[in-house]
Amino acid sequence: AARAISKVSVATLTVHLPAKDKSTGTAIIICPGGGYTQLMIDREGHQVARWLNSLGIAGIVLKYRLPEGNRLRTGLADLKHAAEALRMPLDDAMEAVRVTRANAARWGIRPDAVGMMGFSAGGHLTAMTGMLAPPEARPNFLALLYPAIPQGLEAGPATPPAFLAAAKDDPRLAATDHAVRFYV
């Protein structure tokens, strides 16, 4: 399914747990993409969570708040502007990490095995969370899939390990440029 939702004003987490006998103790918070105007909640959210479950990984879908209006259309390439414009989704992502760790025992996961995966704009949010969050709200690892990563967001000593995937011929954004810039 390719269901998209928009006008998200309340963040939620939907927890998909694997069978207990298959669980690896790892959890991945999933941030769907959609250009911060909508969320591809099924294709880049719940379907991914179910696939992760088949691998013994808890998939936790973050339905993050979306900023109103078109104030995001300019300036997302600048890290400071992006962080200010996206304060609500960034707060939601950091809180998702905190909530996941706080519920680790109840959900059968290890608090030191909480990762975050994001697609496109969700990759942007995932990268920002991995780079800008305080240690207690920073994921242990990242998976950035065709991410839109702002200028100035550079890997450093505190950067969680990251998996990057992007296609050179992606017509919608220069995802390979973004991924390479993050990698280098």
Side-chain angles (χ1 to χ4, degrees):
R3 181 173 62 112
I5 58 173
S6 59
K7 298 181 182 178
V8 178
S9 60
V10 176
T12 64
L13 289 176
T14 303
V15 181
H16 298 263
L17 298 175
K20 286 186 181 195
D21 64 337
K22 194 171 189 171
S23 178
T24 64
T26 299
I28 297 179
I29 299 164
I30 305 161
C31 299
Y36 290 113
T37 60
Q38 61 183 357
L39 299 176
M40 300 305 294
I41 200 73
D42 289 328
R43 186 174 53 205
E44 295 176 353
H46 299 295
Q47 290 176 9
V48 175
R50 287 189 289 275
W51 171 72
L52 290 171
N53 285 174
S54 75
L55 303 173
I57 299 168
I60 302 170
V61 180
L62 171 59
K63 183 174 79 174
Y64 53 89
R65 292 174 289 171
L66 297 171
E68 293 181 21
N70 288 328
R71 55 192 160 137
L72 297 177
R73 291 293 160 225
T74 58
L76 274 189
D78 172 74
L79 179 60
K80 184 178 179 197
H81 175 80
E84 290 170 9
L86 301 173
R87 176 54 46 202
M88 287 187 314
L90 185 56
D91 286 347
D92 295 343
M94 291 187 295
E95 187 63 13
V97 174
R98 288 184 191 105
V99 167
T100 300
R101 288 192 177 126
N103 285 284
R106 191 172 87 160
W107 295 343
I109 60 174
R110 297 186 328 270
D112 63 345
V114 175
M116 186 172 278
M117 170 188 287
F119 300 82
S120 192
H124 178 276
L125 180 57
T126 297
M128 287 186 37
T129 306
M131 306 300 271
L132 303 177
E136 71 278 1
R138 187 177 301 141
N140 298 98
F141 59 91
L142 309 173
L144 307 171
L145 299 123
Y146 44 95
I149 300 174
Q151 295 281 349
L153 195 60
E154 297 179 8
T159 304
F163 170 83
L164 298 157
K168 183 178 178 182
D169 62 351
D170 187 332
R172 291 173 292 155
L173 47 103
T176 30
D177 294 340
H178 291 266
V180 168
R181 189 174 64 248
F182 185 84
Y183 177 78
V184 178

Short mmCIF file of all heavy atoms in Angstrom, two decimals, residues 73-144:
data_model
loop_
_atom_site.label_atom_id
_atom_site.label_comp_id
_atom_site.label_asym_id
_atom_site.label_seq_id
_atom_site.Cartn_x
_atom_site.Cartn_y
_atom_site.Cartn_z
N ARG A 73 10.18 24.99 2.48
CA ARG A 73 10.63 24.94 1.09
C ARG A 73 11.96 25.63 0.85
O ARG A 73 12.66 25.32 -0.08
CB ARG A 73 9.57 25.56 0.17
CG ARG A 73 8.34 24.71 0.09
CD ARG A 73 8.64 23.39 -0.61
NE ARG A 73 7.63 22.41 -0.28
CZ ARG A 73 7.90 21.18 0.05
NH1 ARG A 73 9.12 20.75 0.14
NH2 ARG A 73 6.93 20.33 0.32
N THR A 74 12.33 26.56 1.69
CA THR A 74 13.62 27.23 1.54
C THR A 74 14.43 27.03 2.81
O THR A 74 13.89 27.04 3.90
CB THR A 74 13.46 28.75 1.28
OG1 THR A 74 12.74 29.31 2.38
CG2 THR A 74 12.72 29.01 -0.01
N GLY A 75 15.69 26.83 2.64
CA GLY A 75 16.58 26.81 3.78
C GLY A 75 16.85 25.47 4.42
O GLY A 75 17.61 25.42 5.38
N LEU A 76 16.27 24.38 3.96
CA LEU A 76 16.55 23.10 4.59
C LEU A 76 17.99 22.65 4.39
O LEU A 76 18.47 21.80 5.11
CB LEU A 76 15.60 22.02 4.09
CG LEU A 76 14.27 21.92 4.82
CD1 LEU A 76 13.51 20.69 4.38
CD2 LEU A 76 14.43 21.92 6.31
N ALA A 77 18.66 23.20 3.39
CA ALA A 77 20.05 22.84 3.17
C ALA A 77 20.94 23.39 4.29
O ALA A 77 22.02 22.88 4.53
CB ALA A 77 20.53 23.35 1.82
N ASP A 78 20.49 24.41 4.98
CA ASP A 78 21.25 25.01 6.07
C ASP A 78 20.88 24.31 7.37
O ASP A 78 19.71 24.25 7.74
CB ASP A 78 20.94 26.52 6.15
CG ASP A 78 21.57 27.14 7.37
OD1 ASP A 78 22.80 27.32 7.37
OD2 ASP A 78 20.82 27.44 8.33
N LEU A 79 21.88 23.79 8.07
CA LEU A 79 21.64 23.00 9.27
C LEU A 79 20.90 23.77 10.35
O LEU A 79 19.94 23.28 10.93
CB LEU A 79 22.98 22.47 9.81
CG LEU A 79 22.90 21.64 11.09
CD1 LEU A 79 22.04 20.42 10.86
CD2 LEU A 79 24.29 21.24 11.52
N LYS A 80 21.30 25.00 10.62
CA LYS A 80 20.66 25.77 11.69
C LYS A 80 19.20 26.03 11.35
O LYS A 80 18.31 25.85 12.19
CB LYS A 80 21.40 27.09 11.90
CG LYS A 80 20.83 27.89 13.05
CD LYS A 80 21.60 29.16 13.30
CE LYS A 80 20.95 29.89 14.46
NZ LYS A 80 21.33 31.25 14.55
N HIS A 81 18.92 26.44 10.10
CA HIS A 81 17.53 26.69 9.72
C HIS A 81 16.73 25.39 9.78
O HIS A 81 15.58 25.40 10.26
CB HIS A 81 17.45 27.28 8.31
CG HIS A 81 16.04 27.45 7.83
ND1 HIS A 81 15.25 28.49 8.21
CD2 HIS A 81 15.27 26.65 7.05
CE1 HIS A 81 14.05 28.35 7.67
NE2 HIS A 81 14.04 27.24 6.96
N ALA A 82 17.30 24.30 9.32
CA ALA A 82 16.59 23.02 9.33
C ALA A 82 16.23 22.62 10.75
O ALA A 82 15.10 22.19 11.02
CB ALA A 82 17.43 21.94 8.65
N ALA A 83 17.16 22.75 11.69
CA ALA A 83 16.89 22.37 13.08
C ALA A 83 15.79 23.23 13.68
O ALA A 83 14.94 22.74 14.42
CB ALA A 83 18.17 22.47 13.90
N GLU A 84 15.78 24.53 13.37
CA GLU A 84 14.73 25.42 13.90
C GLU A 84 13.38 25.10 13.26
O GLU A 84 12.36 25.02 13.95
CB GLU A 84 15.11 26.88 13.64
CG GLU A 84 16.28 27.34 14.49
CD GLU A 84 16.81 28.70 14.06
OE1 GLU A 84 16.19 29.37 13.21
OE2 GLU A 84 17.86 29.09 14.60
N ALA A 85 13.35 24.95 11.94
CA ALA A 85 12.09 24.69 11.23
C ALA A 85 11.51 23.33 11.58
O ALA A 85 10.30 23.15 11.53
CB ALA A 85 12.31 24.79 9.72
N LEU A 86 12.36 22.41 11.95
CA LEU A 86 11.92 21.04 12.21
C LEU A 86 11.98 20.66 13.68
O LEU A 86 12.14 19.50 14.03
CB LEU A 86 12.76 20.07 11.37
CG LEU A 86 12.67 20.31 9.87
CD1 LEU A 86 13.65 19.42 9.12
CD2 LEU A 86 11.26 20.11 9.37
N ARG A 87 11.87 21.65 14.55
CA ARG A 87 11.96 21.40 15.99
C ARG A 87 10.95 20.36 16.44
O ARG A 87 11.26 19.46 17.21
CB ARG A 87 11.77 22.73 16.75
CG ARG A 87 11.73 22.62 18.25
CD ARG A 87 12.88 21.92 18.94
NE ARG A 87 14.20 22.29 18.51
CZ ARG A 87 15.28 21.52 18.69
NH1 ARG A 87 15.17 20.35 19.28
NH2 ARG A 87 16.45 21.90 18.28
N MET A 88 9.70 20.43 15.96
CA MET A 88 8.67 19.47 16.40
C MET A 88 9.03 18.04 16.01
O MET A 88 9.05 17.15 16.87
CB MET A 88 7.29 19.85 15.87
CG MET A 88 6.69 21.05 16.55
SD MET A 88 4.97 21.39 16.06
CE MET A 88 5.01 21.24 14.29
N PRO A 89 9.32 17.75 14.72
CA PRO A 89 9.67 16.36 14.40
C PRO A 89 10.96 15.91 15.09
O PRO A 89 11.06 14.74 15.49
CB PRO A 89 9.83 16.35 12.88
CG PRO A 89 9.46 17.69 12.39
CD PRO A 89 9.18 18.57 13.54
N LEU A 90 11.92 16.80 15.25
CA LEU A 90 13.16 16.44 15.94
C LEU A 90 12.88 16.10 17.40
O LEU A 90 13.39 15.11 17.93
CB LEU A 90 14.20 17.56 15.81
CG LEU A 90 15.58 17.28 16.37
CD1 LEU A 90 16.20 16.03 15.76
CD2 LEU A 90 16.50 18.49 16.14
N ASP A 91 12.04 16.89 18.06
CA ASP A 91 11.64 16.57 19.44
C ASP A 91 10.94 15.21 19.49
O ASP A 91 11.19 14.42 20.40
CB ASP A 91 10.71 17.65 20.00
CG ASP A 91 11.42 18.94 20.36
OD1 ASP A 91 12.68 18.95 20.41
OD2 ASP A 91 10.72 19.95 20.57
N ASP A 92 10.08 14.93 18.50
CA ASP A 92 9.37 13.65 18.46
C ASP A 92 10.34 12.48 18.30
O ASP A 92 10.19 11.45 18.95
CB ASP A 92 8.36 13.63 17.31
CG ASP A 92 7.24 14.65 17.48
OD1 ASP A 92 7.02 15.15 18.60
OD2 ASP A 92 6.58 14.95 16.45
N ALA A 93 11.33 12.66 17.44
CA ALA A 93 12.32 11.59 17.21
C ALA A 93 13.14 11.32 18.47
O ALA A 93 13.38 10.16 18.84
CB ALA A 93 13.22 11.96 16.04
N MET A 94 13.57 12.39 19.14
CA MET A 94 14.35 12.20 20.36
C MET A 94 13.50 11.55 21.45
O MET A 94 13.97 10.66 22.17
CB MET A 94 14.92 13.54 20.83
CG MET A 94 16.00 14.08 19.91
SD MET A 94 16.86 15.56 20.51
CE MET A 94 15.56 16.78 20.53
N GLU A 95 12.24 11.95 21.55
CA GLU A 95 11.35 11.35 22.55
C GLU A 95 11.10 9.88 22.21
O GLU A 95 10.98 9.04 23.11
CB GLU A 95 10.04 12.13 22.63
CG GLU A 95 9.12 11.67 23.74
CD GLU A 95 9.69 11.84 25.15
OE1 GLU A 95 10.70 12.55 25.34
OE2 GLU A 95 9.11 11.24 26.08
N ALA A 96 11.03 9.54 20.93
CA ALA A 96 10.84 8.14 20.53
C ALA A 96 12.00 7.27 21.03
O ALA A 96 11.78 6.14 21.50
CB ALA A 96 10.72 8.03 19.01
N VAL A 97 13.21 7.78 20.95
CA VAL A 97 14.37 7.03 21.46
C VAL A 97 14.25 6.86 22.97
O VAL A 97 14.44 5.76 23.50
CB VAL A 97 15.69 7.72 21.07
CG1 VAL A 97 16.89 7.03 21.74
CG2 VAL A 97 15.87 7.76 19.56
N ARG A 98 13.91 7.94 23.67
CA ARG A 98 13.77 7.87 25.13
C ARG A 98 12.68 6.87 25.54
O ARG A 98 12.87 6.05 26.44
CB ARG A 98 13.43 9.26 25.69
CG ARG A 98 14.57 10.24 25.66
CD ARG A 98 14.15 11.56 26.34
NE ARG A 98 15.12 12.59 26.10
CZ ARG A 98 14.97 13.61 25.24
NH1 ARG A 98 13.86 13.74 24.53
NH2 ARG A 98 15.92 14.50 25.09
N VAL A 99 11.52 6.95 24.88
CA VAL A 99 10.40 6.06 25.22
C VAL A 99 10.77 4.61 24.92
O VAL A 99 10.46 3.70 25.72
CB VAL A 99 9.13 6.48 24.44
CG1 VAL A 99 8.05 5.41 24.51
CG2 VAL A 99 8.60 7.80 24.97
N THR A 100 11.43 4.38 23.81
CA THR A 100 11.83 3.01 23.46
C THR A 100 12.78 2.45 24.52
O THR A 100 12.61 1.31 24.97
CB THR A 100 12.47 2.98 22.06
OG1 THR A 100 11.49 3.46 21.11
CG2 THR A 100 12.90 1.58 21.68
N ARG A 101 13.76 3.23 24.91
CA ARG A 101 14.70 2.75 25.95
C ARG A 101 13.98 2.55 27.29
O ARG A 101 14.27 1.58 28.01
CB ARG A 101 15.87 3.71 26.08
CG ARG A 101 16.81 3.62 24.90
CD ARG A 101 18.11 4.36 25.15
NE ARG A 101 18.98 4.16 24.01
CZ ARG A 101 19.55 5.15 23.32
NH1 ARG A 101 19.36 6.41 23.67
NH2 ARG A 101 20.31 4.87 22.29
N ALA A 102 13.06 3.44 27.64
CA ALA A 102 12.34 3.33 28.90
C ALA A 102 11.47 2.07 28.95
O ALA A 102 11.20 1.53 30.03
CB ALA A 102 11.47 4.57 29.13
N ASN A 103 11.03 1.59 27.78
CA ASN A 103 10.18 0.40 27.70
C ASN A 103 10.94 -0.84 27.27
O ASN A 103 10.32 -1.86 26.94
CB ASN A 103 9.03 0.67 26.73
CG ASN A 103 7.99 1.57 27.34
OD1 ASN A 103 7.21 1.14 28.18
ND2 ASN A 103 8.01 2.84 26.96
N ALA A 104 12.26 -0.77 27.27
CA ALA A 104 13.08 -1.87 26.75
C ALA A 104 12.74 -3.21 27.43
O ALA A 104 12.53 -4.22 26.74
CB ALA A 104 14.56 -1.55 26.91
N ALA A 105 12.69 -3.24 28.73
CA ALA A 105 12.42 -4.50 29.43
C ALA A 105 11.03 -5.04 29.07
O ALA A 105 10.87 -6.23 28.79
CB ALA A 105 12.54 -4.31 30.93
N ARG A 106 10.06 -4.16 29.04
CA ARG A 106 8.67 -4.56 28.73
C ARG A 106 8.54 -5.08 27.30
O ARG A 106 7.78 -6.01 27.04
CB ARG A 106 7.76 -3.36 28.94
CG ARG A 106 6.30 -3.70 28.90
CD ARG A 106 5.46 -2.54 29.29
NE ARG A 106 5.22 -1.76 28.08
CZ ARG A 106 4.25 -0.89 27.94
NH1 ARG A 106 3.46 -0.65 28.94
NH2 ARG A 106 4.09 -0.25 26.81
N TRP A 107 9.29 -4.49 26.36
CA TRP A 107 9.21 -4.87 24.96
C TRP A 107 10.23 -5.94 24.56
O TRP A 107 10.28 -6.35 23.41
CB TRP A 107 9.37 -3.65 24.07
CG TRP A 107 8.26 -2.65 24.21
CD1 TRP A 107 7.02 -2.86 24.76
CD2 TRP A 107 8.28 -1.28 23.80
NE1 TRP A 107 6.27 -1.70 24.71
CE2 TRP A 107 7.02 -0.71 24.13
CE3 TRP A 107 9.24 -0.47 23.20
CZ2 TRP A 107 6.71 0.62 23.86
CZ3 TRP A 107 8.91 0.85 22.94
CH2 TRP A 107 7.66 1.39 23.26
N GLY A 108 11.08 -6.37 25.50
CA GLY A 108 12.05 -7.42 25.21
C GLY A 108 13.19 -6.96 24.30
O GLY A 108 13.67 -7.74 23.49
N ILE A 109 13.62 -5.72 24.48
CA ILE A 109 14.74 -5.20 23.69
C ILE A 109 15.84 -4.71 24.62
O ILE A 109 15.62 -4.48 25.81
CB ILE A 109 14.30 -4.07 22.74
CG1 ILE A 109 13.70 -2.90 23.53
CG2 ILE A 109 13.30 -4.58 21.71
CD1 ILE A 109 13.38 -1.69 22.69
N ARG A 110 17.03 -4.57 24.07
CA ARG A 110 18.16 -4.05 24.84
C ARG A 110 18.21 -2.53 24.67
O ARG A 110 18.16 -2.03 23.55
CB ARG A 110 19.46 -4.67 24.36
CG ARG A 110 19.53 -6.18 24.57
CD ARG A 110 20.89 -6.80 24.23
NE ARG A 110 21.62 -6.15 23.17
CZ ARG A 110 21.53 -6.46 21.86
NH1 ARG A 110 20.71 -7.41 21.46
NH2 ARG A 110 22.27 -5.84 20.97
N PRO A 111 18.34 -1.78 25.75
CA PRO A 111 18.38 -0.31 25.63
C PRO A 111 19.60 0.20 24.87
O PRO A 111 19.60 1.32 24.38
CB PRO A 111 18.37 0.18 27.08
CG PRO A 111 18.67 -1.00 27.93
CD PRO A 111 18.37 -2.23 27.14
N ASP A 112 20.62 -0.66 24.73
CA ASP A 112 21.82 -0.25 23.98
C ASP A 112 21.78 -0.76 22.54
O ASP A 112 22.79 -0.71 21.83
CB ASP A 112 23.08 -0.75 24.67
CG ASP A 112 23.18 -2.27 24.73
OD1 ASP A 112 22.15 -2.96 24.50
OD2 ASP A 112 24.27 -2.78 25.01
N ALA A 113 20.61 -1.22 22.09
CA ALA A 113 20.44 -1.71 20.72
C ALA A 113 19.22 -1.07 20.08
O ALA A 113 18.39 -1.74 19.47
CB ALA A 113 20.33 -3.23 20.71
N VAL A 114 19.12 0.25 20.24
CA VAL A 114 18.00 1.01 19.68
C VAL A 114 18.51 1.85 18.51
O VAL A 114 19.29 2.79 18.71
CB VAL A 114 17.34 1.91 20.74
CG1 VAL A 114 16.24 2.78 20.12
CG2 VAL A 114 16.79 1.07 21.90
N GLY A 115 18.11 1.48 17.33
CA GLY A 115 18.53 2.21 16.14
C GLY A 115 17.39 3.03 15.58
O GLY A 115 16.26 2.99 16.07
N MET A 116 17.71 3.79 14.54
CA MET A 116 16.70 4.59 13.85
C MET A 116 16.94 4.47 12.35
O MET A 116 18.08 4.52 11.90
CB MET A 116 16.78 6.05 14.31
CG MET A 116 15.67 6.92 13.76
SD MET A 116 15.66 8.57 14.50
CE MET A 116 14.79 8.23 16.02
N MET A 117 15.85 4.31 11.61
CA MET A 117 15.89 4.17 10.15
C MET A 117 14.96 5.22 9.56
O MET A 117 13.84 5.39 10.02
CB MET A 117 15.41 2.76 9.77
CG MET A 117 15.18 2.54 8.29
SD MET A 117 14.38 0.93 7.96
CE MET A 117 15.73 -0.19 8.29
N GLY A 118 15.45 5.91 8.52
CA GLY A 118 14.60 6.90 7.89
C GLY A 118 14.74 6.91 6.38
O GLY A 118 15.81 6.62 5.84
N PHE A 119 13.64 7.23 5.73
CA PHE A 119 13.56 7.28 4.27
C PHE A 119 13.36 8.72 3.83
O PHE A 119 12.46 9.40 4.33
CB PHE A 119 12.36 6.45 3.79
CG PHE A 119 12.44 5.01 4.18
CD1 PHE A 119 12.05 4.58 5.44
CD2 PHE A 119 12.93 4.06 3.29
CE1 PHE A 119 12.12 3.25 5.81
CE2 PHE A 119 13.00 2.73 3.64
CZ PHE A 119 12.60 2.32 4.90
N SER A 120 14.18 9.22 2.90
CA SER A 120 14.04 10.56 2.33
C SER A 120 14.00 11.61 3.44
O SER A 120 14.97 11.75 4.18
CB SER A 120 12.83 10.60 1.41
OG SER A 120 12.81 11.77 0.64
N ALA A 121 12.87 12.32 3.60
CA ALA A 121 12.79 13.31 4.69
C ALA A 121 12.93 12.62 6.05
O ALA A 121 13.50 13.19 6.98
CB ALA A 121 11.47 14.07 4.62
N GLY A 122 12.44 11.38 6.16
CA GLY A 122 12.64 10.62 7.38
C GLY A 122 14.12 10.30 7.61
O GLY A 122 14.58 10.20 8.74
N GLY A 123 14.88 10.16 6.50
CA GLY A 123 16.34 10.00 6.60
C GLY A 123 16.98 11.28 7.09
O GLY A 123 17.95 11.26 7.85
N HIS A 124 16.47 12.40 6.64
CA HIS A 124 16.91 13.71 7.12
C HIS A 124 16.71 13.80 8.63
O HIS A 124 17.62 14.17 9.38
CB HIS A 124 16.11 14.79 6.38
CG HIS A 124 16.39 16.19 6.77
ND1 HIS A 124 15.79 16.79 7.85
CD2 HIS A 124 17.20 17.12 6.21
CE1 HIS A 124 16.21 18.04 7.95
NE2 HIS A 124 17.07 18.27 6.97
N LEU A 125 15.49 13.45 9.08
CA LEU A 125 15.18 13.49 10.51
C LEU A 125 16.05 12.50 11.29
O LEU A 125 16.55 12.83 12.36
CB LEU A 125 13.69 13.17 10.71
CG LEU A 125 13.19 13.16 12.14
CD1 LEU A 125 13.44 14.49 12.83
CD2 LEU A 125 11.70 12.81 12.16
N THR A 126 16.27 11.32 10.75
CA THR A 126 17.11 10.32 11.39
C THR A 126 18.55 10.83 11.53
O THR A 126 19.16 10.70 12.59
CB THR A 126 17.07 9.00 10.60
OG1 THR A 126 15.73 8.50 10.63
CG2 THR A 126 18.01 7.96 11.16
N ALA A 127 19.10 11.41 10.47
CA ALA A 127 20.46 11.95 10.51
C ALA A 127 20.55 13.06 11.55
O ALA A 127 21.50 13.11 12.34
CB ALA A 127 20.88 12.45 9.13
N MET A 128 19.57 13.97 11.55
CA MET A 128 19.60 15.07 12.53
C MET A 128 19.53 14.53 13.95
O MET A 128 20.22 15.02 14.83
CB MET A 128 18.46 16.05 12.25
CG MET A 128 18.72 16.88 11.02
SD MET A 128 17.53 18.19 10.66
CE MET A 128 17.06 18.84 12.21
N THR A 129 18.71 13.50 14.17
CA THR A 129 18.61 12.92 15.52
C THR A 129 19.94 12.29 15.92
O THR A 129 20.40 12.47 17.05
CB THR A 129 17.47 11.87 15.56
OG1 THR A 129 16.27 12.47 15.10
CG2 THR A 129 17.27 11.36 16.98
N GLY A 130 20.56 11.57 15.01
CA GLY A 130 21.84 10.94 15.30
C GLY A 130 22.96 11.93 15.56
O GLY A 130 23.90 11.62 16.29
N MET A 131 22.86 13.11 14.98
CA MET A 131 23.93 14.09 15.11
C MET A 131 23.66 15.15 16.16
O MET A 131 24.60 15.66 16.77
CB MET A 131 24.13 14.79 13.76
CG MET A 131 24.38 13.84 12.62
SD MET A 131 25.81 12.85 12.87
CE MET A 131 27.00 13.90 12.14
N LEU A 132 22.42 15.53 16.37
CA LEU A 132 22.10 16.68 17.22
C LEU A 132 21.52 16.33 18.58
O LEU A 132 21.51 17.16 19.47
CB LEU A 132 21.12 17.61 16.48
CG LEU A 132 21.57 18.15 15.13
CD1 LEU A 132 20.47 18.99 14.49
CD2 LEU A 132 22.85 18.95 15.26
N ALA A 133 21.04 15.12 18.74
CA ALA A 133 20.40 14.74 20.00
C ALA A 133 21.43 14.59 21.12
O ALA A 133 22.57 14.19 20.88
CB ALA A 133 19.63 13.43 19.83
N PRO A 134 21.01 14.90 22.35
CA PRO A 134 21.90 14.61 23.49
C PRO A 134 22.07 13.10 23.61
O PRO A 134 21.25 12.32 23.09
CB PRO A 134 21.15 15.20 24.68
CG PRO A 134 19.74 15.31 24.25
CD PRO A 134 19.74 15.46 22.76
N PRO A 135 23.13 12.65 24.27
CA PRO A 135 23.43 11.20 24.32
C PRO A 135 22.26 10.32 24.73
O PRO A 135 22.07 9.25 24.15
CB PRO A 135 24.58 11.12 25.33
CG PRO A 135 25.24 12.45 25.25
CD PRO A 135 24.13 13.44 24.98
N GLU A 136 21.44 10.75 25.68
CA GLU A 136 20.34 9.89 26.15
C GLU A 136 19.22 9.76 25.12
O GLU A 136 18.38 8.87 25.22
CB GLU A 136 19.77 10.39 27.48
CG GLU A 136 18.96 11.67 27.40
CD GLU A 136 19.78 12.97 27.38
OE1 GLU A 136 21.03 12.91 27.42
OE2 GLU A 136 19.16 14.04 27.32
N ALA A 137 19.20 10.63 24.11
CA ALA A 137 18.15 10.59 23.08
C ALA A 137 18.71 10.26 21.70
O ALA A 137 18.01 10.36 20.71
CB ALA A 137 17.42 11.93 23.03
N ARG A 138 19.98 9.85 21.66
CA ARG A 138 20.63 9.53 20.39
C ARG A 138 20.54 8.03 20.14
O ARG A 138 20.85 7.22 21.02
CB ARG A 138 22.10 9.96 20.46
CG ARG A 138 22.82 9.83 19.12
CD ARG A 138 24.26 10.34 19.20
NE ARG A 138 24.27 11.72 19.61
CZ ARG A 138 25.17 12.24 20.45
NH1 ARG A 138 26.12 11.50 20.96
NH2 ARG A 138 25.10 13.51 20.78
N PRO A 139 20.13 7.62 18.93
CA PRO A 139 20.09 6.18 18.63
C PRO A 139 21.48 5.57 18.64
O PRO A 139 22.49 6.27 18.45
CB PRO A 139 19.48 6.12 17.23
CG PRO A 139 19.25 7.51 16.78
CD PRO A 139 19.72 8.45 17.82
N ASN A 140 21.55 4.24 18.81
CA ASN A 140 22.83 3.54 18.82
C ASN A 140 23.38 3.32 17.42
O ASN A 140 24.58 3.13 17.25
CB ASN A 140 22.70 2.20 19.53
CG ASN A 140 22.30 2.38 20.97
OD1 ASN A 140 21.12 2.25 21.30
ND2 ASN A 140 23.22 2.70 21.84
N PHE A 141 22.51 3.32 16.42
CA PHE A 141 22.94 3.17 15.02
C PHE A 141 21.88 3.79 14.13
O PHE A 141 20.73 4.00 14.55
CB PHE A 141 23.20 1.70 14.66
CG PHE A 141 22.01 0.81 14.83
CD1 PHE A 141 21.11 0.59 13.79
CD2 PHE A 141 21.76 0.17 16.06
CE1 PHE A 141 20.02 -0.24 13.95
CE2 PHE A 141 20.66 -0.66 16.22
CZ PHE A 141 19.79 -0.86 15.17
N LEU A 142 22.26 4.08 12.89
CA LEU A 142 21.37 4.73 11.93
C LEU A 142 21.30 3.93 10.63
O LEU A 142 22.28 3.31 10.24
CB LEU A 142 21.88 6.14 11.58
CG LEU A 142 22.22 7.09 12.72
CD1 LEU A 142 22.87 8.35 12.18
CD2 LEU A 142 20.98 7.41 13.53
N ALA A 143 20.16 3.99 9.97
CA ALA A 143 20.01 3.47 8.61
C ALA A 143 19.37 4.60 7.82
O ALA A 143 18.23 4.99 8.08
CB ALA A 143 19.14 2.22 8.58
N LEU A 144 20.13 5.17 6.89
CA LEU A 144 19.68 6.33 6.11
C LEU A 144 19.43 5.87 4.68
O LEU A 144 20.36 5.54 3.96
CB LEU A 144 20.74 7.42 6.15
CG LEU A 144 21.21 7.84 7.56
CD1 LEU A 144 22.41 8.77 7.49
CD2 LEU A 144 20.07 8.47 8.32
#
